[in-house]
Amino acid sequence: MDTVSLAKRRYTTKAYDASRRIPQATVDALLEQLRHSPSSVNSQPWHFIVADTAEGKALLAKSTAEGYAYNTQKLLDASHVIVFCTRTEMTEEHLNAVLDQEAADGRFRDEQARAGQNQSRRHYVNLHRFDQKDVQHWMEKQTYLALGTALLGAAAHGLDATPIEGFDSKVLDAELGLRERGFTSVVILSLGYRSEADFNAGLNKSRLPASQVFTFL
């Protein structure tokens, strides 16, 4: 797979063809790729909410009504919309669940390896929780790693996509009952197929030259 071509081809879609739906097999493959996103010490501090019905997308669009109306149609017309949520706390329950899943998946040769992984992960959690005091920001950074995985995955499947930060997270959290579940919304991803009205599709991609963004030692 030519990932450079994928990176050059993908762009932020501004308008979707509401009549086109992503095949379910493609959605399933993308979500499985998303589930396997990397995260620091395999902390996986995320949850993803997928809307593929008119009712579900309209519910999400409520978060754009005040101040972000320019994003409303990107949610309503897309085939699928994913809300990327981050934990509001790194709980004992979650840490134990991750460790148990690693054990079930055969990650540990013995109990010593299991204990070492547990100690290492907790070290980094406590580093951000107590010393750097940025555990929420740290968890959100892991969620953005997942967003990057989804964007490249969407391009690989020939899908158009729009990462959206222009929404009211307080409204969306309330509509979805996220905070009661220990999560908060951080970014939304619209997925589907662009419409002919998408002006951005015909514009050249622009990035700073390699000479300015790379330093070689």
Side-chain angles (χ1 to χ4, degrees), residues 179-201:
R179 298 184 184 184
E180 295 84 352
R181 299 165 59 187
F183 294 96
T184 184
S185 54
V186 294
V187 65
I188 298 173
L189 181 64
S190 292
L191 296 161
Y193 302 96
R194 64 178 178 263
S195 76
E196 294 182 359
D198 183 7
F199 71 89
N200 207 27

Side-chain angles (χ1 to χ4, degrees), residues 18-50:
S19 68
R20 298 189 64 186
R21 294 275 300 173
I22 303 173
Q24 189 59 48
T26 301
V27 174
D28 293 343
L30 182 61
L31 294 181
E32 187 65 0
Q33 182 176 353
L34 180 58
R35 189 173 70 88
H36 282 85
S37 298
S39 61
S40 177
V41 291
N42 199 29
S43 53
Q44 304 175 66
W46 49 51
H47 187 76
F48 311 108
I49 295 178
V50 183

Side-chain angles (χ1 to χ4, degrees), residues 91-214:
T91 65
E92 282 294 308
E93 180 183 15
H94 179 69
L95 288 170
N96 290 332
V98 171
L99 188 67
D100 289 344
Q101 188 63 54
E102 289 171 332
D105 289 336
R107 291 282 298 167
F108 309 127
R109 296 184 303 274
D110 49 37
E111 282 300 315
Q112 183 177 359
R114 175 183 174 124
Q117 173 69 355
N118 185 38
Q119 182 179 15
S120 176
R121 182 158 43 237
R122 288 172 180 275
H123 165 76
Y124 280 99
V125 169
N126 287 334
L127 175 68
H128 289 282
R129 180 186 284 155
F130 299 118
D131 299 333
Q132 298 185 11
K133 295 179 173 56
D134 67 343
V135 68
Q136 183 66 34
H137 180 57
W138 177 69
M139 290 192 292
E140 288 182 3
K141 288 193 291 185
Q142 313 317 310
T143 305
Y144 272 83
L145 288 178
L147 175 65
T149 297
L151 285 171
L152 193 59
H157 287 289
L159 304 177
D160 294 306
T162 310
I164 298 172
E165 291 184 315
F167 68 97
D168 190 325
S169 63
K170 185 176 182 179
V171 170
L172 190 55
D173 287 2
E175 289 291 339
L176 298 175
L178 288 175
R179 298 184 184 184
E180 295 84 352
R181 299 165 59 187
F183 294 96
T184 184
S185 54
V186 294
V187 65
I188 298 173
L189 181 64
S190 292
L191 296 161
Y193 302 96
R194 64 178 178 263
S195 76
E196 294 182 359
D198 183 7
F199 71 89
N200 207 27
L203 299 179
N204 292 332
K205 200 177 187 78
S206 177
R207 294 293 188 272
L208 292 171
S211 61
Q212 292 186 31
V213 299
F214 295 111

